[in-house]
Amino acid sequence: MEDKILLAHGSGGKLAQDLVKNIFFRALENPLLAKLDDSAVLDFNGKLAFTTDSYVVHPIFFPGGDIGKLAVCGTTNDLAMSGAKPLYLSLGCVIEEGLPFKDLDRIVNSIKVMADEAGAQIVTGDTKVVDLGSADKIFINTAGIGIIPDGVDISGHNARPGDWIILSGTVGDHGIAVLSRREGLDFGTSLESDCAPLAGMVADMIEVCPEIHSLRDPTRGGLASTLNEIVAQSNVGMKIDEKEIPVREEVMGACEMLGLDPLYIANEGKLVAIVPAKDADKVLSCMKRHRYGKDAVIIGEVTGDHPGRVVMRTSLGTSRIVDMLVGEPLPRIC
Amino acid sequence: MEDKILLAHGSGGKLAQDLVKNIFFRALENPLLAKLDDSAVLDFNGKLAFTTDSYVVHPIFFPGGDIGKLAVCGTTNDLAMSGAKPLYLSLGCVIEEGLPFKDLDRIVNSIKVMADEAGAQIVTGDTKVVDLGSADKIFINTAGIGIIPDGVDISGHNARPGDWIILSGTVGDHGIAVLSRREGLDFGTSLESDCAPLAGMVADMIEVCPEIHSLRDPTRGGLASTLNEIVAQSNVGMKIDEKEIPVREEVMGACEMLGLDPLYIANEGKLVAIVPAKDADKVLSCMKRHRYGKDAVIIGEVTGDHPGRVVMRTSLGTSRIVDMLVGEPLPRIC
């Protein structure tokens, strides 16, 4: 077998079959995928969540993860943010000719490990190969299907004045970790992406509080953009407190050096939960018991005032409007 | 508004919202998509088909279609090949910085027109923008969900000796049409891609014959690879007759000039149906009544002899084994 991907591996012929068998199936095999028909056939009954994301992160390997880990965490997290239990994933890869097999193998193995942790199976897939220079190593798309438990209705449209806003941990880790590897910057040895599958923690949270109003993972655009999306969808305001928002020292240092605001930096293993005030303590305790929520904090509340606006009390004691991200400080972060 | 895609259009911030609103929503809006949560929420009950494909065709506009038309036809056709009625699609775009808005607009409008014809809605999506030179204009992934009618069990595993093999029309049109545009070759003015949504015809076929055994669309790798996949999955043989396989004159001429075999050239609006002999005539008549099946023909039969092999009686009267595609004669055809 060659040690690099050739154009013919994308052909639909023998070499393509070898690639599927030797790399994708070896890691991912399950009875649904093994049927190799044009679609996977699944039995279903209930309310289903369906989502998709493409991943173009550069570099494809970074501290704390790789593009495969990201492709499973990102999509299963999107399902979890609708309250769904992730069940099935599709996997579409666009590969640049010349990608070493060992890199592809490592990525596919990350996909397997993360899918197992998230409780999802890869049941259908597709691989295209493009000529050298027509893509940057590998782009991955995953679409996901999950099932939403009866009675759960979680949406960015459901935030209500009086709700409390919980953040699951530090912000900015993923964006700064990817940036540091890409630019060869060294902001401290310990900084890793927070990339993680959150579906398990979300299932626990829903068990203690089936009335969670909104969940969202602050990826591209960071915490600031996520909160702005929710205030717009629910036509409410928010008051948050800067000193409650946890930021790692290395992330703060990097942001100061580069003129970035950690509130706008992408995360890949964090979530924001909007919950009725009466349930906030039990949801917070539930999150703190979980490895991905041990630093969870209440960062503010939903208000009926200034609908569509997120207002932050700064650490200096003044107030400022936290707006949507406008430009693009960090491209290709996910 | 700018006339070209900027990196910031992939940011998760304001410009990304503008892009979604002004290009994607304007064409594709529906109540499920409009919720703008992390996942679309769908009610479901039954046997579901799930599939994905990435599209990297070069050039993105070609005679008879474009990458958007392809992205909807290819994925809804894969659903139809499992007997499913396509219902929901996801849309993941990876766009190279600098793509003119008018090109994106044209592509998204093709997506809308084709989704309508196939009976499917775009319910969730994602857009990434990469820097100039890191992708080639636009790559599209669509994943699809469809519902399979009760009692229908169509799979590449179900071909049985004695079944007849029906082909829905001419082979090689898509591959040669794309190639001719890409290489600036002129094989005759009338040659267009056969790219088409087949779900409607398949629904009609299932109505007249719910016992169809296998359906497959001969895309990458062409008719030869598709038949080889089915004989391998079902552990049967096939005998086909070269003179029954319709090939347009322009396609035959191009293949002769370039040393290609039309049996290995991609199609995007054709299907192969494997049906019980007793039902072959009624399925064939049903196909012939449809605009995408008017040239349908019976090209051969499934045998118990030589399992795993496709044998063709050539127009010279000799027999030859039609093998799986090995190399890649035409990259980036879909």
Side-chain angles (χ1 to χ4, degrees):
Chain A
M1 198 165 170
E2 306 284 333
D3 66 346
K4 285 186 178 161
I5 296 283
L6 309 175
L7 265 181
H9 284 113
S11 64
K14 267 186 183 152
L15 277 171
Q17 285 193 337
D18 288 349
L19 175 68
V20 166
K21 213 179 293 170
N22 297 330
I23 302 275
F24 290 100
F25 270 35
R26 216 180 49 195
L28 305 176
E29 192 163 10
N30 63 60
L32 288 163
L33 185 62
K35 284 209 84 176
L36 264 185
D37 276 324
D38 282 331
S39 307
V41 175
L42 317 166
D43 273 312
F44 233 93
N45 190 346
K47 229 201 289 180
L48 170 161
F50 180 37
T51 192
T52 191
D53 251 314
S54 299
Y55 300 87
V56 299
V57 66
H58 169 66
I60 57 176
F61 299 102
F62 50 80
D66 59 52
I67 192 169
K69 182 177 181 181
L70 204 55
V72 174
C73 293
T75 294
T76 57
N77 287 351
D78 277 350
L79 293 173
M81 297 310 125
S82 298
K85 179 181 154 35
L87 291 179
Y88 304 114
L89 293 175
S90 66
L91 176 64
C93 297
V94 175
I95 305 176
E96 183 190 16
E97 182 186 15
L99 182 76
F101 269 111
K102 68 170 177 34
D103 288 356
L104 184 59
D105 214 25
R106 195 171 147 198
I107 291 165
V108 174
N109 280 298
S110 288
I111 288 172
K112 168 66 174 165
V113 170
M114 285 300 118
D116 283 351
E117 188 179 337
Q121 283 182 302
I122 311 289
V123 294
T124 185
D126 172 61
T127 304
K128 293 290 190 311
V129 180
V130 298
D131 39 304
L132 201 69
S134 286
D136 191 1
K137 295 189 178 72
I138 182 168
F139 300 146
I140 298 182
N141 176 285
T142 44
I145 299 179
I147 191 153
I148 300 175
D150 278 344
V152 168
D153 178 20
I154 295 172
S155 162
H157 295 263
N158 295 351
R160 294 289 168 267
D163 286 351
W164 285 26
I165 306 166
I166 308 176
L167 171 65
S168 67
T170 55
V171 296
D173 302 17
H174 175 74
I176 298 298
V178 171
L179 182 73
S180 66
R181 171 58 51 94
R182 182 160 77 204
E183 309 297 341
L185 302 170
D186 182 11
F187 300 121
T189 48
S190 62
L191 187 62
E192 291 201 337
S193 164
D194 58 329
C195 182
L198 300 175
M201 181 167 76
V202 169
D204 292 351
M205 291 163 64
I206 290 174
E207 208 171 303
V208 303
C209 175
E211 306 80 25
I212 291 173
H213 286 165
S214 311
L215 289 174
R216 193 150 292 177
D217 53 339
T219 55
R220 272 187 296 179
L223 178 64
S225 299
T226 290
L227 296 180
N228 272 283
E229 283 168 20
I230 298 173
V231 294
Q233 288 184 308
S234 293
N235 196 32
V236 294
M238 283 183 185
K239 276 194 304 198
I240 60 170
D241 197 338
E242 185 171 26
K243 71 176 193 310
E244 299 302 330
I245 299 171
V247 185
R248 276 182 213 287
E249 214 173 299
E250 307 95 299
V251 170
M252 192 54 92
C255 282
E256 277 170 7
M257 201 171 106
L258 299 166
L260 299 170
D261 182 338
L263 295 186
Y264 292 90
I265 307 294
N267 312 277
E268 289 290 344
K270 297 292 154 40
L271 64 81
V272 172
I274 313 287
V275 300
K278 68 174 175 49
D279 298 318
D281 277 341
K282 66 182 177 191
V283 174
L284 184 67
S285 322
C286 165
M287 290 169 73
K288 281 172 161 298
R289 281 193 300 271
H290 206 281
R291 61 191 285 215
Y292 300 133
K294 58 181 171 21
D295 299 325
V297 283
I298 291 164
I299 60 164
E301 62 177 315
V302 178
T303 69
D305 308 337
H306 51 80
R309 287 252 158 102
V310 178
V311 176
M312 184 168 75
R313 216 176 104 94
T314 68
S315 34
L316 301 171
T318 59
S319 282
R320 74 166 173 100
I321 290 172
V322 176
D323 207 348
M324 197 87 194
L325 176 68
V326 179
E328 170 55 293
L330 303 177
R332 295 188 60 188
I333 222 67
C334 58
Chain B
M1 199 168 173
E2 307 284 332
D3 64 347
K4 284 185 179 164
I5 296 283
L6 309 175
L7 265 181
H9 284 111
S11 65
K14 266 186 185 150
L15 278 172
Q17 285 193 336
D18 288 349
L19 174 68
V20 166
K21 212 178 296 170
N22 297 331
I23 302 276
F24 290 100
F25 269 36
R26 215 179 49 195
L28 305 175
E29 192 162 11
N30 63 61
L32 289 163
L33 185 62
K35 284 209 84 177
L36 263 185
D37 276 324
D38 282 332
S39 307
V41 175
L42 317 167
D43 273 312
F44 234 94
N45 190 348
K47 229 199 297 177
L48 170 161
F50 180 36
T51 192
T52 190
D53 251 314
S54 299
Y55 301 86
V56 298
V57 66
H58 170 67
I60 57 176
F61 299 101
F62 50 81
D66 60 53
I67 190 170
K69 181 176 182 181
L70 205 55
V72 173
C73 294
T75 294
T76 57
N77 287 351
D78 277 350
L79 292 173
M81 297 308 125
S82 298
K85 178 180 154 35
L87 291 178
Y88 304 115
L89 293 174
S90 66
L91 176 64
C93 298
V94 175
I95 304 176
E96 184 190 20
E97 183 186 14
L99 182 76
F101 269 110
K102 67 170 177 34
D103 288 357
L104 184 59
D105 215 27
R106 193 171 149 197
I107 290 165
V108 174
N109 280 299
S110 288
I111 288 172
K112 169 64 174 167
V113 170
M114 285 299 119
D116 283 350
E117 187 179 338
Q121 282 182 302
I122 312 290
V123 295
T124 185
D126 172 60
T127 305
K128 292 291 190 308
V129 180
V130 298
D131 39 303
L132 201 70
S134 286
D136 191 1
K137 296 190 179 71
I138 184 169
F139 300 146
I140 298 181
N141 177 285
T142 44
I145 298 179
I147 191 151
I148 300 175
D150 279 345
V152 168
D153 178 20
I154 295 173
S155 162
H157 295 262
N158 295 351
R160 294 290 168 267
D163 286 352
W164 286 25
I165 306 165
I166 308 177
L167 171 65
S168 67
T170 55
V171 296
D173 302 16
H174 175 74
I176 297 299
V178 171
L179 181 74
S180 65
R181 173 57 51 95
R182 183 159 76 206
E183 308 297 342
L185 303 169
D186 182 10
F187 300 121
T189 48
S190 62
L191 187 62
E192 292 201 337
S193 164
D194 57 331
C195 182
L198 301 175
M201 182 168 75
V202 169
D204 291 350
M205 291 163 64
I206 290 174
E207 209 172 303
V208 302
C209 176
E211 307 80 26
I212 292 173
H213 286 165
S214 311
L215 289 174
R216 193 150 291 179
D217 53 338
T219 56
R220 272 187 296 180
L223 178 65
S225 299
T226 289
L227 297 180
N228 272 281
E229 284 168 19
I230 297 173
V231 295
Q233 287 184 308
S234 292
N235 195 31
V236 293
M238 282 183 185
K239 277 194 302 198
I240 60 171
D241 197 338
E242 185 171 27
K243 72 176 192 311
E244 298 301 330
I245 300 171
V247 185
R248 276 183 212 286
E249 214 174 296
E250 307 94 298
V251 171
M252 192 55 91
C255 283
E256 277 169 6
M257 200 170 105
L258 300 165
L260 298 170
D261 182 338
L263 295 186
Y264 293 91
I265 306 296
N267 312 278
E268 289 291 345
K270 297 290 153 43
L271 64 80
V272 172
I274 313 287
V275 299
K278 68 174 175 50
D279 299 318
D281 278 341
K282 66 182 177 190
V283 174
L284 184 67
S285 322
C286 166
M287 291 168 73
K288 281 173 161 296
R289 280 193 301 270
H290 205 283
R291 61 191 282 214
Y292 300 132
K294 58 183 169 25
D295 299 325
V297 281
I298 291 165
I299 60 165
E301 62 178 316
V302 178
T303 68
D305 308 337
H306 51 81
R309 288 252 158 102
V310 178
V311 175
M312 184 168 76
R313 215 176 105 94
T314 68
S315 33
L316 301 171
T318 59
S319 282
R320 75 168 173 99
I321 290 173
V322 176
D323 207 347
M324 196 86 193
L325 175 69
V326 179
E328 170 55 292
L330 303 178
R332 296 188 60 190
I333 223 67
C334 58

